[in-house]
Amino acid sequence: MSAPTHPGIRTTTTGVDTRLPWWALVLPAAAFLVLLVLMTGSDGAQATPGELAGGRVLEHLWQTLAL
């Protein structure tokens, strides 16, 4: 006896549903757009001339690994 299938699910001959839900495409695209806007909208940010942020990160990493 076979079980009834849901009318909204389309299966192929292998029994696998090949469709993606709408949010599986929209959420990654929205996340990409948000990150892109954050990256391009940072024109007003200025680094201080005396300190490099990358150097401070490497210094903290070096101190942490020296334990």
Side-chain angles (χ1 to χ4, degrees):
M1 185 159 114
S2 63
T5 60
H6 296 287
I9 298 175
R10 178 178 51 185
T11 57
T12 61
T13 56
T14 59
V16 178
D17 187 19
T18 57
R19 295 181 301 163
L20 287 175
W22 64 269
W23 51 265
L25 296 174
V26 172
L27 287 180
F32 176 77
L33 285 175
V34 166
L35 291 174
L36 187 64
V37 167
L38 286 174
M39 282 178 30
T40 58
S42 63
D43 292 337
Q46 297 293 324
T48 58
E51 260 183 57
L52 296 176
R56 290 190 61 186
V57 169
L58 290 175
E59 181 181 345
H60 286 294
L61 181 64
W62 186 260
Q63 289 174 354
T64 303
L65 293 176
L67 296 176

